[in-house]
Amino acid sequence: MPELPEVETVCRGLAKALTGKRIARFEARRADLRTALPENLAAKLKGRRILGVKRRAKYILMALDKGETLLLHLGMSGHMVITHHASEMEKHDHLIFHFGDGTRLHFNDPRRFGMCDLVKNKDLPNHKLLRFLGIEPLGSGLTPVKLAAKFKGKKTSIKDALMDQRLIAGIGNIYACEALFHAGISPRRLAGKCSGEQIARLIPAIRKVLNAAIKAGGSSLRDYRQADGELGYFQHHFAVYDREDKPCPGCTCDVDKTSLPSPKRSPGFAQAGGIRRIAQGGRSTFYCKVKQV
């Protein structure tokens, strides 16, 4: 599922290409995605001007004139692509925005876990999908004091706490693994047992990883695409994610540098360093057991 950097990258691309344009025609090639589309959506969007595009957690907020916002989510496999010329529709292009200058925006979603809703601006803060979201990790609201308060008494792992959208909004599995590595914190550690020093290290690590991923255009795993159709490339800079049995960056641990894949590990490898994979909350966690404590 696209995480914060991927959604932020899409929002920036959409904002650059679409702000100020009017929707000449909206085409829904099916009546629902994960949920039903709003009734008469095509008629409601015709002639509306896009004022801007921004992100909240993993949601895309497309601000329209007349005090409304189009709320979108990419789901597990969705992506948006902007075209400036007529092109053939793809099989899973479910929503198409046609603009007066010939620009088109395609919402392609093979698994149909995405969503689309039209919301009055005054109702956005209390929308059922937004009202319980936590702190934005790239905003000024994420401070050591506030994060410590949210973690206080939590008996869940720090990894699962980072992915709890009610605590911090937008961080998923990949970036939780990466941030914990850069902060030197074990994903097994209980959130409520993190020291003030560890929390102080964690916040800049989160921001470092997310900003680097945004700069790289996100991570292209399976279906993700940027708004211009290009692939992101942060997956080439993963420190630990999906790198089981390999040395971590700048490895000084006692590890077999040849990184032989399982099951051809060299004798004694299990006692050495290197990146490990464990299961947490039904997801794979990758970490260095030497550098993360």
Side-chain angles (χ1 to χ4, degrees):
M1 180 179 291
E3 299 182 26
L4 185 154
E6 289 76 47
V7 179
E8 179 68 24
T9 300
V10 169
C11 285
R12 293 182 184 186
L14 295 179
K16 182 178 180 180
L18 303 179
T19 297
K21 295 185 185 296
R22 288 193 181 275
I23 302 170
R25 181 166 63 93
F26 173 77
E27 181 182 354
R29 301 178 73 193
R30 57 179 303 117
D32 63 351
L33 293 173
R34 180 176 59 188
T35 58
L37 298 178
E39 291 186 11
N40 302 317
L41 186 58
K44 292 175 180 177
L45 293 181
K46 184 176 180 179
R48 303 291 290 277
R49 187 161 65 94
I50 296 177
L51 303 181
V53 184
K54 64 180 181 179
R55 176 193 57 78
R56 175 69 171 114
K58 302 176 187 178
Y59 293 93
I60 298 168
L61 279 65
M62 187 179 292
L64 305 174
D65 57 5
K66 301 182 182 179
E68 290 186 313
T69 293
L70 200 62
L71 178 65
L72 300 147
H73 192 278
L74 297 175
M76 296 181 68
S77 61
H79 60 272
M80 292 186 166
V81 177
I82 295 169
T83 65
H84 299 283
H85 54 81
S87 59
E88 291 187 7
M89 300 290 184
E90 295 188 9
K91 179 179 179 180
H92 300 294
D93 283 348
H94 301 309
L95 308 179
I96 301 96
F97 298 77
H98 299 261
F99 297 90
D101 63 353
T103 301
R104 295 197 318 204
L105 171 64
H106 295 223
F107 187 167
N108 184 287
D109 186 8
R111 299 188 188 182
R112 300 201 309 275
F113 284 118
M115 58 79 60
C116 174
D117 196 9
L118 185 62
V119 187
K120 293 186 182 300
N121 291 346
K122 65 181 180 62
D123 297 331
L124 267 179
N126 291 316
H127 191 281
K128 63 182 180 180
L129 296 176
L130 304 179
R131 61 185 173 183
F132 297 118
L133 290 174
I135 302 171
E136 283 288 334
L138 295 179
S140 59
L142 185 61
T143 66
V145 172
K146 289 185 178 180
L147 191 56
K150 287 185 173 291
F151 285 172
K152 186 177 181 180
K154 291 287 183 184
K155 296 183 179 180
T156 186
S157 72
I158 182 65
K159 161 81 179 312
D160 288 335
L162 285 179
M163 296 174 58
D164 186 341
Q165 301 302 296
R166 298 166 298 179
L167 302 179
I168 307 176
I171 300 176
N173 193 42
I174 293 174
Y175 301 108
C177 290
E178 294 292 299
L180 287 171
F181 171 77
H182 287 286
I185 301 172
S186 169
R188 296 176 181 269
R189 180 174 290 277
L190 297 183
K193 296 293 184 180
C194 281
S195 67
E197 180 186 357
Q198 289 173 318
I199 290 174
R201 294 202 310 266
L202 181 57
I203 291 175
I206 290 171
R207 289 175 174 151
K208 173 183 177 181
V209 167
L210 294 179
N211 282 319
I214 291 169
K215 185 176 180 180
S219 302
S220 294
L221 302 177
R222 297 190 180 95
D223 306 292
Y224 167 67
R225 297 290 187 277
Q226 299 181 59
D228 59 4
E230 294 296 318
L231 299 173
Y233 57 89
F234 187 69
Q235 69 275 14
H236 301 301
H237 301 285
F238 288 159
V240 291
Y241 186 81
D242 202 26
R243 301 189 70 243
E244 183 181 9
D245 293 345
K246 296 179 180 178
C248 59
C251 182
T252 56
C253 312
D254 179 17
V255 64
D256 179 359
K257 294 292 200 297
T258 60
S259 303
L260 294 174
S262 178
K264 299 178 182 180
R265 296 171 181 165
S266 58
F269 188 95
Q271 287 73 46
I275 297 168
R276 300 287 186 261
R277 181 180 68 83
I278 58 173
Q280 289 183 301
R283 297 178 176 86
S284 292
T285 296
F286 299 89
Y287 74 110
C288 174
K289 71 172 188 176
V290 175
K291 290 186 177 179
Q292 295 175 248
V293 296

